[in-house]
Amino acid sequence: MQKGVRNCVLLLAAAGSFASCNVFKKKPEKSAVTGWNYNDKTQGNFYVAKPKDIKAAPGLVFVQGGAFTMGANQEDVMFDWSNIPRKITINSFFIDRTEVANVHYREYLNWLESVFSDPQYEAVIEGAKPDTLVWRSELAYNEPYVEYYFRHPAYNYYPVVGVSWKQASDFCIWRTDRVNELELKNKGYINPNNIKTEMNGGGQENFNTKSYLMGEYQVQPSKLATSKSNPLKDAQGRPRTTVKFDDGILYGDYRLPTEAEWEYAAYGYILQNPQRKVPGSKKRGEELTANRQIYSWKNDGFDNLRATRAGAYQGAFMANFKRTNGDNMGVAGGLNDNAAIPGEVTSFEPNGFGIYNMSGNVSEWVADVFRPQTSLDEADFNPFRGNVFKKVDMSKEEGSRRDSLGRIIMIPESDSALHNRRNYQHSYAINYMDGDSLSANSYGYGITTLISDKSRVVKGGSWNDMAYWLSPGARRFLEEDQSSNTIGFRCAMTHFGAAEGTTRKAQTGNFFPPARAKR
């Protein structure tokens, strides 16, 4: 018995010596190029965030990228031939599950009215309000919609309309800042008093993501950020109260989707392949170019606008649109789409990616500038027309690089500084090779055409459009400072990391087991 006790004591003592020698302590991650440890205060304390699941920001769904045929998929009845089919590739991204609703946009206005309550900002608030007069018509009685569509609770979750492209873009900036501000507050890097001060008429002193990352906007940290439990440390091992983007805490920017992203997301082609690869699974999907479909839902054997599967919903309309002239919703007792004007943003069946109303309800702004010859000019990977390459205005002194709204002042890059670059030599790329001095095409806006550098693409078809415009391949345009009672919008966000998915196991490229040497 005594011998057994002595053995136990020796075993415990050995275990203690092992623990004191850090035998069971996990080894720190090491740099493959210098050998120095990451997150080690004795070796520079270079903080490297561990790869983690990439969460979809509020309201967004993940869209796995791929190749598809972009452009017209039915007869060109408009005879403008502005969407010639071609094959392109889109990288993975996030997009809103629904269109932005009235209640969401009123939340934005409420924030503006609270933060910019000083009379000097009156133009800011007025400039953000949707134009409710878009409902007016000389020969129709639509005054109730002018008064109530945006404000009445009955229309809370109906898509906001009367919003210009510029207003939609500003909404995206605001949304980015509010989501990141809340994330920092929840993680303990922003004291709640900062938000309270902001909402009590903070004006310029409001949280902006870029201003925060550049150190132009200072926040009061919470007790958690200054405590030893804060995982972020500086080179001396002290708690770091300011978050960097490479810490993996902040989300990317909300923005309008590109035309290519929007069209790709609208088709929801992922469900066309029953053997598709589910991120994190061991099964491999096969490369498949799906049969082209006309609308945002699967053909399911028919290219029509009604549900074709047997059951209670057979024959029901799949979208909110105008069937024929004078028929916006059918007859009493048998309403076809059950919506005379825009319907709720979660009405009708979502497509393969789980996205609602990509065909019908309201048309939607996308980021691109409209050109008839887009398909002939743009790249075949992440195509987009509308770039104006900018930089921070460094002529301003540090600490004063924000405008009156609290945003970093950005200016176009100088062409003279770009002449040695090979990938681009002009900061203004909106009319590059299509309407500029380098090309043979020109656009005499207001004289020979309505197309200008302010013409933005509109996609998706609306409650007041006939079926032709519901095809994701169809495209129209409107000036970026105008609006309509048929146009709304949704936001998107760039996806960081492996294109395959958002799980920790998602990887870029194919990984093969190492070859074993023959014996």
Side-chain angles (χ1 to χ4, degrees):
M1 185 68 178
Q2 290 179 348
K3 183 178 180 181
V5 172
R6 186 167 61 251
N7 290 340
C8 288
V9 171
L10 290 174
L11 182 62
L12 290 173
S17 64
F18 287 154
S20 64
C21 295
N22 294 323
V23 172
F24 297 112
K25 187 176 180 180
K26 187 177 180 181
K27 292 183 179 180
E29 188 178 356
K30 183 177 295 188
S31 169
V33 295
T34 65
W36 283 40
N37 293 335
Y38 295 148
N39 310 326
D40 187 339
K41 64 181 180 181
T42 66
Q43 297 186 22
N45 210 31
F46 174 47
Y47 180 78
V48 177
K50 295 180 179 179
K52 61 181 70 175
D53 293 359
I54 302 171
K55 298 185 300 181
L60 303 179
V61 296
F62 174 71
V63 176
Q64 188 178 102
F68 83 113
T69 302
M70 181 179 178
N73 56 11
Q74 54 184 324
E75 185 179 355
D76 183 24
V77 299
M78 301 305 294
F79 295 102
D80 58 2
W81 206 236
S82 68
N83 50 349
I84 302 171
R86 65 188 180 117
K87 196 168 187 177
I88 64 167
T89 294
I90 296 297
N91 203 358
S92 300
F93 61 99
F94 297 100
I95 196 168
D96 265 337
R97 177 171 164 264
T98 69
E99 297 141 339
V100 172
N102 285 322
V103 69
H104 305 142
Y105 204 85
R106 294 206 307 269
E107 180 184 356
Y108 167 48
L109 292 182
N110 176 74
W111 184 89
L112 289 177
E113 290 165 355
S114 299
V115 174
F116 299 108
S117 56
D118 192 291
Q120 66 173 311
Y121 294 113
E122 182 179 358
V124 174
I125 298 171
E126 291 300 316
K129 292 179 179 178
D131 180 11
T132 59
L133 296 182
V134 294
W135 285 106
R136 280 187 174 166
S137 174
E138 293 93 334
L139 297 176
Y141 180 60
N142 289 336
E143 285 304 298
Y145 301 131
V146 173
E147 297 293 327
Y148 303 125
Y149 179 82
F150 179 62
R151 294 288 182 183
H152 197 281
Y155 297 115
N156 274 354
Y157 291 97
Y158 285 50
V160 65
V161 296
V163 174
S164 70
W165 183 93
K166 286 186 174 180
Q167 289 174 316
S169 298
D170 283 340
F171 176 91
C172 292
I173 297 173
W174 167 82
R175 187 176 175 185
T176 299
D177 296 338
R178 300 292 69 75
V179 168
N180 280 330
E181 185 177 30
L182 182 62
E183 188 71 11
L184 291 176
K185 172 185 170 294
N186 292 340
K187 289 283 196 297
Y189 294 102
I190 286 184
N191 192 303
N193 290 331
N194 283 88
I195 299 178
K196 184 177 180 180
T197 301
E198 176 182 87
M199 297 298 290
N200 286 334
Q204 184 189 43
E205 296 304 315
N206 67 85
F207 179 88
N208 171 259
T209 303
K210 194 173 184 67
S211 297
Y212 172 80
L213 290 173
M214 288 185 61
E216 295 285 320
Y217 173 74
Q218 304 296 328
V219 300
Q220 178 186 357
S222 68
K223 292 182 178 179
L224 178 64
T226 57
S227 68
K228 292 182 179 180
S229 59
N230 180 0
L232 305 182
K233 301 290 192 298
D234 62 17
Q236 288 72 41
R238 297 170 301 194
R240 175 159 56 85
T241 58
T242 302
V243 172
K244 301 176 183 178
F245 192 72
D246 48 356
D247 292 329
I249 294 174
L250 296 172
Y251 290 102
D253 294 338
Y254 284 90
R255 54 176 173 79
L256 292 177
T258 67
E259 180 181 5
E261 286 175 335
W262 191 98
E263 189 169 328
Y264 179 82
Y267 283 119
Y269 276 145
I270 193 168
L271 289 189
Q272 292 289 341
N273 182 4
Q275 301 298 324
R276 69 190 185 280
K277 183 177 181 181
V278 178
S281 72
K282 295 181 180 180
K283 294 182 179 180
R284 251 186 99 239
E286 295 302 322
E287 183 177 356
L288 175 68
T289 301
N291 294 327
R292 301 201 69 196
Q293 60 195 51
I294 293 180
Y295 304 112
S296 296
W297 48 89
K298 292 191 301 181
N299 294 336
D300 207 15
F302 300 90
D303 289 334
N304 59 23
L305 295 156
R306 296 175 182 269
T308 57
R309 295 175 184 173
Y313 295 101
Q314 186 174 15
F317 273 37
M318 300 289 288
N320 178 11
F321 68 105
K322 187 174 186 176
R323 190 178 188 184
T324 60
N325 285 331
D327 185 358
N328 280 66
M329 62 176 177
V331 298
L335 300 181
N336 47 39
D337 63 26
N338 201 28
I341 58 172
E344 293 193 33
V345 295
T346 54
S347 57
F348 301 96
E349 186 176 359
N351 73 356
F353 289 121
I355 308 169
Y356 287 85
N357 289 303
M358 296 296 270
S359 289
N361 212 32
V362 291
S363 299
E364 299 175 17
W365 290 113
V366 295
D368 294 59
V369 168
F370 179 86
R371 286 290 189 270
Q373 301 300 315
T374 291
S375 59
L376 303 179
D377 300 325
E378 288 183 332
D380 61 0
F381 176 68
N382 291 340
F384 170 67
R385 177 180 288 280
N387 283 311
V388 178
F389 302 115
K390 296 183 177 182
K391 63 179 181 179
V392 177
D393 186 0
M394 300 303 290
S395 66
K396 306 289 184 182
E397 293 184 5
E398 188 174 352
S400 59
R401 292 171 181 157
R402 290 180 295 158
D403 62 17
S404 60
L405 301 183
R407 300 172 183 173
I408 294 294
I409 301 173
M410 306 290 291
I411 58 174
E413 293 181 323
S414 172
D415 285 355
S416 61
L418 303 175
H419 69 279
N420 286 329
R421 297 200 63 88
R422 299 188 65 175
N423 54 331
Y424 72 105
Q425 294 186 332
H426 299 277
S427 62
Y428 188 84
I430 286 178
N431 60 5
Y432 179 68
M433 292 299 293
D434 195 356
D436 59 7
S437 60
L438 297 178
S439 66
N441 296 326
S442 62
Y443 295 94
Y445 177 69
I447 302 175
T448 60
T449 180
L450 293 176
I451 300 169
S452 74
D453 287 357
K454 293 184 178 181
S455 300
R456 299 287 176 169
V457 178
V458 176
K459 302 282 284 185
S462 76
W463 61 276
N464 205 31
D465 285 319
M466 293 190 188
Y468 173 81
W469 296 109
L470 270 60
S471 170
R475 62 198 302 256
R476 288 177 286 186
F477 67 93
L478 187 68
E479 298 299 283
E480 62 184 26
D481 52 3
Q482 297 181 11
S483 58
S484 166
N485 64 7
T486 62
I487 300 177
F489 71 101
R490 73 180 74 218
C491 304
M493 182 182 290
T494 301
H495 170 259
F496 307 114
E500 181 186 46
T502 60
T503 66
R504 184 178 286 108
K505 294 182 179 180
Q507 295 177 316
T508 299
N510 295 324
F511 289 81
F512 298 91
R516 294 182 179 180
K518 295 182 179 180
R519 295 183 179 178

